[in-house]
Amino acid sequence: MSAMPEIAEFRGEIGAVTEQANQAFFSVRDIHAWYGESYIVQGVSFDVKKGEVLSLLGRNGAGKTSTLRTLARVDSPALKSGEIWLDGEPLHNKKAFQAAKAGVQLVPEDRRIIGGLTVEENLILAQVSGEKGWALEKIYDHFPRLAERRSQEATTMSGGEQQMLAVARALARDIKILFLDEPYEGLAPVIVQEIEKIVRQIRDIGITTVIVEQNAVAALRLSDRAVIMDTGQVVFSGSAQEVLDNEDLRNEYLAI
Ligand SMILES: Nc1ncnc2c1ncn2[C@@H]1O[C@H](COP(=O)(O)OP(=O)(O)O)[C@@H](O)[C@H]1O
Ligand SMILES: [Mg+2]
């Protein structure tokens, strides 16, 4: 009698493992998240392949930041149901620090550069806060502007340079997926192109990226795929090219 449930359980496990193996590298499945009584993320699902760049787009207030925060497992908004998987590992049952350990890195809109510290001190602090990623030398190779300013107090740099530092700091830890929330905000086009170049380099080394951006054209031109959100839900999911080609979609949700 007692052997039966064990076998059933074992089969269940094999089924779960096989299912996981067939899944995308990063998989968001029907997540619902709340700020207190406010129901904000209303059943969002999408998949990202390893090394892909995905644009998460939509009007102001559509729920993009809330979605990224949920995916990074920040406490607020609170995830009430749904699943998040990264490289076969569940994130939905994790806290933010555990998700970070699993390889998640969110670069929030305000960049969180630490004042009173130099560029290099910001980078070193990131390195010691997780599994070590890129060495300083490698970071400076990819970010020559930061190399020049390594001894400068980080918050005295321009917005573009601070954004570069925010991305560089993400790479100083061993990460699998990078979430960028409006990295181009307030930056001149020439600086946007520099950041874009860096995101392409990040993609080339196999790090998966989800980018939220009001500058949809700039985000789409470096993305493989796009998800458009409206009022907390996904209204479109497809290739970046499909969005660029679809005028109705752009007019309705992106104002471009
Ligand atoms: N801390 C919060 N508490 C309550 N509501 C919030 C909070 N942050 C954002 N919201 C609401 O959630 C909705 C989605 O916001 P957000 O995710 O920031 O959108 P987006 O990033 O697409 O502009 C908005 O209606 C916003 O007012
Ligand atoms: Mg936002």
Side-chain angles (χ1 to χ4, degrees):
M1 278 301 278
S2 68
M4 290 301 285
E6 269 172 35
I7 288 168
E9 226 170 83
F10 182 60
R11 289 217 175 102
E13 260 171 49
I14 290 177
V17 169
T18 313
E19 194 195 322
Q20 226 10 76
N22 291 333
Q23 292 309 318
F25 182 71
F26 184 63
S27 184
V28 181
R29 300 188 204 163
D30 196 25
I31 58 166
H32 298 256
W34 302 63
Y35 289 109
E37 300 289 296
S38 307
Y39 179 34
I40 301 294
V41 180
Q42 306 183 353
V44 168
S45 301
F46 60 86
D47 284 343
V48 195
K49 292 189 186 131
K50 186 169 179 357
E52 257 187 351
V53 180
L54 180 131
S55 279
L56 183 59
L57 306 173
R59 284 189 283 250
N60 234 335
K64 306 178 299 293
T65 295
S66 305
T67 299
L68 284 190
R69 287 175 61 84
T70 307
L71 298 178
R73 305 306 300 111
V74 176
D75 275 340
S76 173
L79 178 66
K80 291 283 171 74
S81 68
E83 296 185 358
I84 306 160
W85 293 86
L86 175 63
D87 199 11
E89 211 181 323
L91 299 183
H92 43 270
N93 57 2
K94 289 187 166 62
K95 298 262 183 206
F97 77 93
Q98 295 165 319
K101 241 183 148 170
V104 170
Q105 174 75 49
L106 169 65
V107 176
E109 218 173 329
D110 64 13
R111 297 162 193 159
R112 307 274 160 85
I113 302 302
I114 302 170
L117 297 186
T118 65
V119 168
E120 187 148 306
E121 286 163 347
N122 266 273
L123 291 170
I124 290 169
L125 201 63
Q127 279 178 329
V128 299
S129 75
E131 293 296 314
K132 202 169 164 191
W134 287 15
L136 285 179
E137 213 173 299
K138 186 170 174 184
I139 290 174
Y140 290 144
D141 277 350
H142 282 78
F143 299 84
R145 274 168 182 265
L146 297 182
E148 289 164 21
R149 290 166 177 75
R150 68 179 81 188
S151 306
Q152 188 172 334
E153 210 245 89
T155 50
T156 64
M157 294 195 300
S158 72
E161 287 155 359
Q162 290 192 40
Q163 186 61 48
M164 284 175 205
L165 177 58
V167 174
R169 210 173 42 174
L171 297 168
R173 290 182 44 243
D174 187 22
I175 60 167
K176 288 182 178 172
I177 192 161
L178 180 62
F179 301 139
L180 298 175
D181 198 354
E182 309 225 4
Y184 303 152
E185 198 189 9
L187 304 185
V190 54
I191 307 294
V192 167
Q193 281 172 17
E194 270 190 60
I195 309 257
E196 225 178 295
K197 208 171 100 192
I198 290 160
V199 176
R200 285 182 211 277
Q201 288 170 353
I202 292 170
R203 178 184 60 191
D204 291 345
I205 59 167
I207 294 174
T208 308
T209 305
V210 176
I211 176 167
V212 163
E213 197 33 73
Q214 284 303 319
N215 186 346
V217 172
L220 287 167
R221 70 182 172 220
L222 61 71
S223 293
D224 304 287
R225 293 191 322 107
V227 167
I228 301 178
M229 286 184 69
D230 195 39
T231 55
Q233 297 175 342
V234 172
V235 291
F236 172 88
S237 200
S239 74
Q241 194 58 48
E242 274 174 84
V243 179
L244 289 168
D245 293 343
N246 188 330
E247 204 180 327
D248 293 342
L249 203 59
R250 286 187 284 124
N251 285 338
E252 187 161 1
Y253 298 111
L254 306 178
I256 54 171

